[in-house]
Amino acid sequence: MAEKRRKVGNPLALAVLAEMVIEPMHPYEMGRRLQEHGKDRSIKYNRSSLYMVVEQLVKAGFIAERETVRDTQRPERTVYAITDAGRAELYDWMRELVAEPKQEFPQFGVALSLLAVLSPEEAVTLLQRRLTALTAQLDEVTGLITESTDRGLAWIFLVEEEYRRVMLDAERRLVTDIVQSLQQPEYVRQWHEVMGRHT
Amino acid sequence: MAEKRRKVGNPLALAVLAEMVIEPMHPYEMGRRLQEHGKDRSIKYNRSSLYMVVEQLVKAGFIAERETVRDTQRPERTVYAITDAGRAELYDWMRELVAEPKQEFPQFGVALSLLAVLSPEEAVTLLQRRLTALTAQLDEVTGLITESTDRGLAWIFLVEEEYRRVMLDAERRLVTDIVQSLQQPEYVRQWHEVMGRHT
DNA sequence: AGGGGAATAGTTGATGCTGACTAGTCGGCT
DNA sequence: AGCCGACTAGTCAGCATCAACTATTCCCCT
C-alpha cells in the first residue's frame, strides 16, 4: 500500500530483473535484447547505466554472479542469475508501477506553466511547430503498430506503443485547442492584462 | 533547430530565470513563490536542488550576485539578478520546450512494456486499482480548475492544469480499454500462448 | 595479408541530485 | 521568563548518472 524507497530505483533495473527471470545472462546480452525488442523506446537505456545497475542489484542481493566465462575469444563476460529476493522485488515493483500512478513532471508541463513569459503571438507560432512534430510522431507510432500487428506480433507486446499513441493524440488535441484559444482576441486581451505589470 | 545541451539542464533553473525576469531575488524567496503559485505541481521542486541550480546559473553567467543583505535579523541572504545572457537563455529554452516534443519515459510506459511478466488476472486487478486512483486525481484537478476559474484566475495560469487533466483523462480511457481487452478470452489465450515458453 | 569498420564488452571521471542536517528567529502559550 | 513549534535560510556527504574512452575480436573488401 505505502510506497517504499526501492534499494535500486532505476527502471532499467526492473527490465534487467524481467530479463533474468527468463534465464541467467551477462550484462551486454541484456542490453542487446532490450534494444532488439524495442524496450528501449519505453525504458531509458544507456550502457554505462546498465553496468551500474547490475552492480547495485548485486549489492542489494537481487541477482548473483553465476560464472565468469571467457570462451576462447571475446572479452570476459560475467553471467548473473536472479535470486529469490530479486524475483520478489520484480513482482512487488511491477505491482506498484501498474496500480499506483506516480506524479511525474513532463517537460511540456513545465513549458506550459511558464508560457506567460512569451508573447501570445510567438506562443501560437511555436505551438504550431509542436503540432507538426506531434503529428509526425503519431504517424510513426501508428505505422509501427499496424506493421507489427500485420506481422502477427501479440497484442500484449504492443500495449506500450498504444499508450504512447493515446498520449500523443491527447496532447495534440490539447495543443490544437490552445492554439484556437490564443487566436481569440478575448484570450489575448486577458493575457496582456495580466502580464501588463512587468516586461 | 538542432537541440543544444543546456549548460544548466534542470527545469528548476528555467523557473528561476522566469522569476528573476520579474525582479532580483534571493533563492529562498524564489522557492516560496514557486510553491505559492503552485508551480511545484509542474516543476519538481526541492530546496537543495534550488541552491544547486542557482550556483550553476551563476557559473554559467545567466544570473549574477547583486548584494548580500543581513537586515538586522534573519540569516544572511544573497540577492541575485538575471543577466542578458540569462534572459536570452530563458527565451531560447522556452522556445525549444514549447516547439519541440522530447522523448520521455513515463513510469507507466515502463510498466506496460513489461506487463507480460504478470498474469492476465493479476494485471486486471492492478489496473482496476489504478483506475480508482486516476479517477481521484482527475476529480482533484477538475476541482482545482473550476475553483480557480470561479475565483477569476486568468486562463493562462491554468493551462498546465488543463494539460494534466487531459493527460489523466486519456490515460484513464486507455486503462479502461486494456481492462476490457483482458477480460476477453481471446486476448487471455494469446497471452498464455506467448508466455507459455517460460515461467 | 592487411586495413578498416562494426560489433562485443566493460571502465571511469566529472557532474548532478537530494535526504538529512544545521542554525537562527519569531510568536504565542503557560 | 522560559519553552515549544513553525518558519526562514542554507549546507553537505553520498549516491546516481552518463558521455567519452579503452580494448578485443570478427569479418569483409581489395
Side-chain angles (χ1 to χ4, degrees), chain A residues 43-183:
Chain A
I43 298 167
K44 188 158 36 177
Y45 170 64
N46 184 298
R47 246 211 336 286
S48 11
S49 307
L50 177 62
Y51 287 99
M52 172 78 48
V53 143
V54 165
E55 210 174 285
Q56 287 165 208
L57 286 171
V58 171
K59 251 181 228 151
F62 295 146
I63 63 177
E65 195 170 317
R66 165 152 299 187
E67 52 181 340
T68 300
V69 192
R70 143 146 276 165
D71 46 65
T72 357
Q73 84 275 60
R74 299 262 157 238
E76 201 171 70
R77 292 162 305 153
T78 307
V79 176
Y80 296 90
I82 196 164
T83 64
D84 286 345
R87 220 168 272 114
E89 176 72 3
L90 167 63
Y91 294 121
D92 187 62
W93 195 354
M94 275 302 288
R95 285 181 189 121
E96 183 190 317
L97 279 184
V98 173
E100 299 166 22
K102 200 185 155 298
Q103 242 268 64
E104 290 180 273
F105 299 90
Q107 303 259 38
F108 189 47
V110 175
L112 287 181
S113 81
L114 300 173
L115 197 63
V117 307
L118 300 173
S119 76
E121 296 76 21
E122 185 170 23
V124 168
T125 314
L126 295 169
L127 287 170
Q128 274 161 346
R129 280 220 281 136
R130 185 181 198 87
L131 230 36
T132 311
L134 286 175
T135 304
Q137 287 186 23
L138 254 167
D139 289 350
E140 193 242 301
V141 175
T142 308
L144 190 97
I145 294 176
T146 4
E147 191 223 340
S148 303
T149 308
D150 289 352
R151 283 210 330 274
L153 191 58
W155 162 87
I156 185 67
F157 293 131
L158 287 169
V159 71
E160 75 261 30
E161 295 297 337
E162 191 64 27
Y163 173 59
R164 196 194 312 287
R165 200 185 60 74
V166 162
M167 291 296 128
L168 279 171
D169 188 57
E171 183 180 325
R172 205 191 42 179
R173 273 173 220 275
L174 176 80
V175 174
T176 308
D177 287 356
I178 298 176
V179 169
Q180 286 270 308
S181 302
L182 286 180
Q183 276 162 346

Side-chain angles (χ1 to χ4, degrees), chain A residues 95 97-98 122 130 190, chain B residues 95 97-98 122 130 155:
Chain A
R95 285 181 189 121
L97 279 184
V98 173
E122 185 170 23
R130 185 181 198 87
Q190 223 189 93
Chain B
R95 285 181 191 121
L97 279 185
V98 173
E122 184 168 24
R130 185 180 197 89
W155 162 88

